[in-house]
Amino acid sequence: MTQLFYEIGGWIGLLGRGSVLLQVLVSVALLLGYRAWRFRGRGALFPWRAVLAKLVLAALLSLVSLLLPKLGFPGGLVGLIGQLTAIWTALSALRLLLRWVVDGEEVDAYWQRAVLPLFLVLLVGGLVYRLDGLEAVGGVPLLKLFDKNLTLANLLLLLGLPYFLVVLSELPVLLLGNLLGRLIGMEPGNRKALELILRYLLIGVGTIWLADRIGLNSTAIAAIAGGLSVGLGFGVKEVFSNFVSGLWLLFEGSVHPGDVLIHEGDICQVRKLGLRATTLWRDGDNAELLVPNQTFFTSTATTYTGTDDRRRGQVLIGAGYQHDPEQVIAVLEEVARANPRVLADPPPKVFVMDYGASSIDYSLRFSMADPMTNLGISSELRRAIWHAFQEHGIEIPFPQRVVHQAR
Amino acid sequence: MIRGRFRLGTGLAVAMALLVGGCQGGPRPPENLQVVIATGAGSDQVVRSSLQRLATQMTSEFMSNNPGTNLHLRFLDEGDLAASVRDHSTLGAGPDVVISRVPPTARLSDEGLIVPSALEPEQLDPLRIQFLQHFRQGNQFRALPFLLQPSLACYNRERLPKPPATLVELVQRAAEGARVGLPLQIDDLLWSASGFGASRPLLQALDEDQGTRRPLSPADRAKVLAWLGWLYRANVQPTLQFVDTSDGLVQRLASRQLDWISCNATAIPQLRRSLGSRLAVALLPAGPNGEPAQPLARLLLLSFGRDSTPGQRRVAERFALFVLNDFSQNNLMVRAVGNMPVNQNVIVPVKESPQLATMQRSLENSIVPDFRQGIGLRSRTGELRLLLKQNVYGEQSPQKVLEAMEALANPTPERAP
């Protein structure tokens, strides 16, 4: 650690040179000037105008870096800051372009997760590389780990690489999956499974490389793997079981994102199929449920989207004994046919279900294209039946009780 | 809001000025110096490790004697030196001190990336620095000689009780079964040419400076041809082998694949670790007629960067005087084995140390390069290595190789009469 501070002390020493200080001050002045101009009383600029302004700033920095040597001063540092500004400008333009073709929120999320941290690494790495050389700074030993010196470079890799492996593996794997899907016509479920496996493979290989890079020898890795096996046997058994179930579900294709199924009596739609849990959306209360994958593996699941997406609904209704069932059935079928969300094929059917205490009970059965719309269509049909019965003078009786009083 | 930002900016500027300049009343901030050390050419690991050890020793000694100074060492490959210094200088972050051999230092000087020493004669004269005048430019010196690294013969005394004294003996020993290694690197093989009187004509013919370049005369051509012929005949011996680099030779002697090699003295520590007391050093073999070998010695130079502040320059000069003084030079000679002092006040204990005596005697006959001599030879190492290889493997006759060397030395159509 002392050596690291010693190296940093060397960079601070460079600021004592008038030529370096001049470049720092000129760059800071230009950057602050840009900020002040950009936010002076007008709020944020339109995105493309902001990109243009950054481009002007990068050009100005580059111009100053060319002018300084003419005046007898070095200008490389200003040029370097200009280059970094130009890269940032190009990235900002790319972001705006991507927002045109891809969902803006997704672009912004990926930007925050991947591009910004990568640019930060480039910024710091670029400055260190030009000032001192990455090898010199990265090789600074910090502490002993498994009898080997843990250098600054390895520590940064240890902290940063897992993050970047997880975040950055997403996009290339997605693109590869997409390409394979198009080339060999892979099923979406299998494609998703392949993407996930590739991603975890990439992360796994990266982790092993990192372990080797920081000096974890094969014995240490074997010890960790042994510990992990015991952990799998006890503590993380469920996690592992869900992981395997998730992979299996993906390959089998029995559950896909977008499927509609019944979970604990509620109708839900599958939003996301993860490796540990599946995310379901419950329409009734707009809740998202995280259901462990194992659940679908060990218990019966009812789905409306297995071979087709149609769902059959029913409305139960009672009509008075005095009305001819044929008339009631005709009215009910007519009501169902009149609803645009009720499928014509198969046609709606009405069944006489029972002779009840105060009414003849009918069941109107109909089919719908979207399984999630059952509640809405049922409600519409019940309202329409009331109006149709009013129109045809059909009574919807309610239970009546005749009470005889003894004298 | 904007005012707040400007206040922040001003505050930062003031803080930076205080940080950099220090307060009048407070303790002075340490003076940080960037010291760049070019560690040998290409993959010459032997020279690299020797230089790193040496540099760490001398900087720590200087810092312990000069509190408030921090020396930051950066080791570079010789081939990367000019590009790196140029790149840092465009930032204003060029090194304060550069330690490198003659050819790369000459390049830095030609590009204006280093500046002459401002040390006064009364500061340098007492040190009696050898070869200082090689680098004079008016009243100043473009670089200061720092250490000498002589060329020697290194051998395994268990396999070869007595070293060959002449080139004839060398081939004879090879014929008797001794495993001999020679480099194909022209600057490390030039000593063998000196035995035929061909080294100086070659150096002059390959001089970079057209003003001092001298084409080979018929007599010189005959000497070079004799040398090339000897190289070809030597390679006929199955136990004598030519290796691309001197580093490769050292590795083979250390692993006992060879018994005798020509080596630079900086290889001694590594060879000593591998061979222990079996390692012996001797003068390089003399020519067929007994002319002593004249190897091209390695000279390390110390030069000053152009971006230093006056304070950094003062410390850099103090550092130069420190590493050149009698104590340091003596210390470096003893502790950094393979390096000989340029300070003539230092008495080399030739009686106590046969190794140092051999090194001293080698230096007496050595050709020490300056910013002109030897540069052309080294800048064409690759092409010359190929020609030498073609010569020793009989792919081209010595006559053809000589013609190719002349064409290389003088690309213009004119030739020696």
Side-chain angles (χ1 to χ4, degrees), chain B residues 14-25:
Chain B
V14 171
M16 199 180 288
L18 286 174
L19 181 72
V20 169
C23 303
Q24 287 291 321

Side-chain angles (χ1 to χ4, degrees), chain A residues 94-109:
Chain A
L94 180 69
R95 180 185 187 178
L96 289 180
L97 285 174
L98 282 175
R99 284 174 68 113
W100 271 354
V101 288
V102 191
D103 176 32
E105 281 186 13
E106 276 186 32
V107 172
D108 288 348

Side-chain angles (χ1 to χ4, degrees), chain B residues 57 328-339 341 346 349 356:
Chain B
Q57 275 176 18
S328 297
Q329 289 271 301
N330 186 61
N331 216 4
L332 287 168
M333 175 182 68
V334 175
R335 285 162 61 186
V337 176
N339 292 280
V346 177
L356 284 173

Side-chain angles (χ1 to χ4, degrees), chain A residues 92-368:
Chain A
S92 304
L94 180 69
R95 180 185 187 178
L96 289 180
L97 285 174
L98 282 175
R99 284 174 68 113
W100 271 354
V101 288
V102 191
D103 176 32
E105 281 186 13
E106 276 186 32
V107 172
D108 288 348
Y110 197 73
W111 212 259
Q112 295 288 338
R113 285 203 316 269
V115 182
L116 273 180
L118 266 184
F119 183 73
L120 192 69
V121 170
L122 179 75
L123 181 82
V124 177
L127 281 169
V128 171
Y129 172 72
R130 290 294 301 275
L131 281 175
D132 212 350
L134 290 175
E135 209 178 310
V137 180
V140 170
L142 295 178
L143 53 104
K144 283 257 182 197
L145 187 71
F146 297 109
D147 283 338
K148 284 196 176 178
N149 273 325
L150 182 68
T151 60
L152 179 65
N154 284 346
L155 180 72
L156 291 177
L157 275 175
L158 195 62
L159 297 176
L161 192 73
Y163 174 79
F164 283 113
L165 270 176
V166 171
V167 170
L168 294 179
S169 61
E170 194 180 340
L171 192 63
V173 162
L174 209 67
L175 291 174
L176 186 69
N178 205 355
L179 188 74
L180 282 175
R182 283 170 190 227
L183 281 177
I184 56 173
M186 198 180 264
E187 288 286 316
N190 291 350
R191 203 183 77 194
K192 182 85 183 157
L194 185 75
E195 282 169 12
L196 272 171
I197 288 171
L198 276 177
R199 196 168 167 207
Y200 279 87
L201 196 69
L202 206 65
I203 293 170
V205 169
T207 309
I208 291 170
W209 176 83
L210 179 63
D212 182 60
R213 177 78 169 73
I214 63 168
L216 279 181
N217 56 25
S218 51
T219 317
I221 294 174
I224 291 171
L228 207 63
S229 310
V230 177
L232 283 175
F234 294 100
V236 289
K237 184 185 73 177
E238 294 300 319
V239 175
F240 195 68
S241 168
N242 281 316
F243 180 81
V244 174
S245 304
L247 282 179
W248 194 265
L249 284 174
L250 277 165
F251 271 119
E252 196 182 50
S254 53
V255 179
H256 300 111
D259 279 1
V260 176
L261 41 84
I262 301 287
H263 177 68
E264 292 178 350
D266 296 313
I267 185 149
C268 299
Q269 190 175 35
V270 178
R271 279 277 165 93
K272 195 176 146 194
L273 204 57
L275 275 185
R276 189 198 69 80
T278 303
T279 308
L280 302 181
W281 172 60
R282 191 167 59 197
D283 186 26
D285 54 357
N286 190 33
E288 283 200 339
L289 313 175
L290 282 168
V291 183
N293 291 331
Q294 214 181 345
T295 312
F296 300 104
F297 221 66
T298 53
S299 58
T300 310
T302 308
T303 177
Y304 289 110
T305 44
T307 47
D308 61 47
D309 288 355
R310 283 181 310 198
R311 178 180 177 182
R312 184 161 294 170
Q314 75 168 352
V315 170
L316 295 170
I317 183 83
Y321 273 92
Q322 66 274 31
H323 305 297
D324 183 350
E326 299 305 326
Q327 185 202 2
V328 174
I329 287 170
V331 169
L332 287 173
E333 285 181 350
E334 183 54 36
V335 166
R337 276 194 295 268
N339 191 308
R341 296 207 284 169
V342 170
L343 293 175
D345 184 30
K349 297 281 276 181
V350 178
F351 298 95
V352 177
M353 300 300 287
D354 201 3
Y355 292 104
S358 50
S359 64
I360 301 175
D361 299 329
Y362 298 91
S363 166
L364 166 59
R365 295 190 178 182
F366 54 93
S367 294
M368 67 201 86

Side-chain angles (χ1 to χ4, degrees), chain B residues 196-198 216-229 399 402:
Chain B
F196 297 88
L216 295 175
S217 68
D220 294 337
R221 296 180 95 235
K223 290 172 186 170
V224 177
L225 272 176
W227 172 56
L228 291 172
Q399 180 66 37
L402 172 64

Side-chain angles (χ1 to χ4, degrees), chain A residues 6-7 9-21 23-25 28 32-33 35-36 39-41 74-77 80 129-133 136, chain B residues 2 5-6 8-10 12-13 16-17 19-20 30 32 34 48 63 69-74 87-96 307-309 312:
Chain A
Y6 189 70
E7 289 287 336
W11 304 338
I12 293 172
L14 288 176
L15 287 172
R17 294 181 177 178
S19 54
V20 177
L21 191 61
Q23 292 181 82
V24 171
L25 290 177
V28 169
L32 286 177
R35 296 284 295 176
F39 292 105
R40 177 173 285 177
L77 193 58
L80 176 64
Y129 172 72
R130 290 294 301 275
L131 281 175
D132 212 350
Chain B
I2 304 291
R5 284 177 199 279
F6 276 121
L8 178 69
T10 316
L12 278 174
M16 199 180 288
L19 181 72
V20 169
N32 287 282
Q34 309 288 329
R48 175 192 294 249
M63 286 192 288
T69 56
N70 290 334
L71 268 61
H72 300 268
L73 296 179
R74 196 144 44 87
D87 188 43
H88 280 82
S89 289
T90 59
L91 303 175
D96 299 286
D307 297 325
S308 307
T309 61
Q312 286 170 329

Side-chain angles (χ1 to χ4, degrees), chain B residues 160-181:
Chain B
L160 208 66
K162 193 169 170 249
T166 63
L167 290 174
V168 177
E169 265 186 50
L170 181 71
V171 178
Q172 202 177 332
R173 294 289 170 83
E176 288 163 9
R179 295 165 304 177
V180 172

